[in-house]
Amino acid sequence: MLGDLVYEAKGKVAGYRVLDIAEGPKIEVTISQNGTLRGGIEATDIVTYWSIPRPGGAHYAEGKGVFMIKDNPSETATWTGQGIAHYSGQKRRDVGSVFCTTTSTTGKLAFLNNLVGVFEYETDETGNSQGKIWEWK
């Protein structure tokens, strides 16, 4: 069952790197985002993912990231994710799942420990990104 909105963010691609070319270009992307976690928590999310083309025009992607609270960057939560991306013109739309963890047991990010989410992200041709994560209950 799809649950509440967990995170909403906007950001910018910070860099690209070619990891491999043997089975098609495997490209790594890093994005820095600012957004709001559930409960109005202002946070930064640093994202690094790689993707590789699949037959039919889709791209398979795997990524990792870290949420940092703006007023307390020492409290963090991490996530890993997988998704599928499609291009429409110059825009890329990724959908998939994320698995969150944190060592925070009583802090603002404690709710993220063992949370599974589904996401939707879009990046335009100039590297601007926006996205949302919902809890998957």
Side-chain angles (χ1 to χ4, degrees):
M1 170 192 255
L2 191 60
D4 295 331
L5 184 67
V6 174
Y7 186 60
E8 186 169 11
K10 291 185 178 184
K12 186 81 173 169
V13 171
Y16 297 94
R17 186 170 74 134
V18 177
L19 299 177
D20 197 1
I21 57 170
E23 297 178 33
K26 184 177 185 181
I27 298 174
E28 181 182 83
V29 179
T30 299
I31 299 173
S32 178
Q33 299 179 324
N34 292 304
T36 305
L37 287 157
R38 183 167 62 199
I41 302 166
E42 290 187 36
T44 298
D45 186 20
I46 304 299
V47 177
T48 299
Y49 72 88
W50 61 261
S51 68
I52 191 163
R54 284 199 164 166
H59 289 248
Y60 171 75
E62 290 186 13
K64 298 177 182 182
V66 60
F67 292 118
M68 295 174 283
I69 297 176
K70 288 202 174 187
D71 65 0
N72 182 11
S74 64
E75 185 180 357
T76 63
T78 59
W79 59 263
T80 60
Q82 296 178 310
I84 299 290
H86 295 276
Y87 284 88
S88 176
Q90 295 296 312
K91 290 188 178 184
R92 176 183 166 127
R93 181 174 177 267
D94 289 76
V95 295
S97 58
V98 293
F99 304 89
C100 301
T101 188
T102 182
T103 57
S104 178
T105 57
T106 59
K108 291 181 181 180
L109 298 183
F111 77 94
L112 288 171
N113 199 35
N114 298 315
L115 182 138
V116 177
V118 293
F119 67 83
E120 175 181 70
Y121 275 85
E122 188 172 272
T123 306
D124 68 19
E125 67 277 4
T126 62
N128 295 307
S129 71
Q130 58 184 358
K132 295 179 181 181
I133 299 172
W134 293 268
E135 184 173 9
W136 187 6
K137 295 183 176 190

